[in-house]
Amino acid sequence: LLTAHPDVTLAFCANDMMALGLVQYLQETGRKDVLVAGFDNLPDAQAAIRDGLMYCSIDQQADVQGRMGVEYACSMLAGKTVDAVTYVPVKLITKDTLAP
């Protein structure tokens, strides 16, 4: 992709593992002009963000999703109505927002 489109300067990857693979490729090819974003907030991605190799990751708050799913299931089992659509806010993880 980057060979065919050398003007790309930002890549949003579907997950952190893909982002880390891209980071490795960029290091191997000497490219430092591509901002890399991932999705999952994995510890390895946090390290890459701290080191300036990745720009950011998205934390989809799986713990909140799980808790809400159980709460909704319990409510439905109790005969209550729950919202048809529920949004769980995501967190943008950058060098500035990483925990020390």
Side-chain angles (χ1 to χ4, degrees):
L1 176 69
L2 292 176
T3 301
H5 303 280
D7 55 334
V8 169
T9 57
L10 172 66
F12 185 86
C13 300
N15 57 55
D16 282 342
M17 295 306 293
M18 289 180 177
L20 292 166
L22 177 56
V23 165
Q24 181 178 346
Y25 171 81
L26 293 171
Q27 288 178 308
E28 290 171 358
T29 58
R31 288 207 48 188
K32 297 180 183 194
D33 61 332
V34 179
L35 297 176
V36 179
F39 195 92
D40 288 330
N41 191 26
L42 296 179
D44 287 347
Q46 291 177 10
I49 293 168
R50 271 191 196 91
D51 294 342
L53 301 173
M54 273 180 67
Y55 182 72
C56 67
S57 183
I58 303 299
D59 185 342
Q60 62 183 325
Q61 302 198 84
D63 56 332
V64 175
Q65 289 179 17
R67 186 191 77 240
M68 290 178 71
V70 170
E71 289 173 358
Y72 275 33
C74 290
S75 293
M76 292 169 65
L77 287 170
K80 296 178 183 174
T81 302
V82 297
D83 294 332
V85 176
T86 300
Y87 294 100
V88 175
V90 298
K91 291 182 181 177
L92 176 63
I93 308 300
T94 66
K95 200 174 217 177
D96 294 335
T97 64
L98 275 172

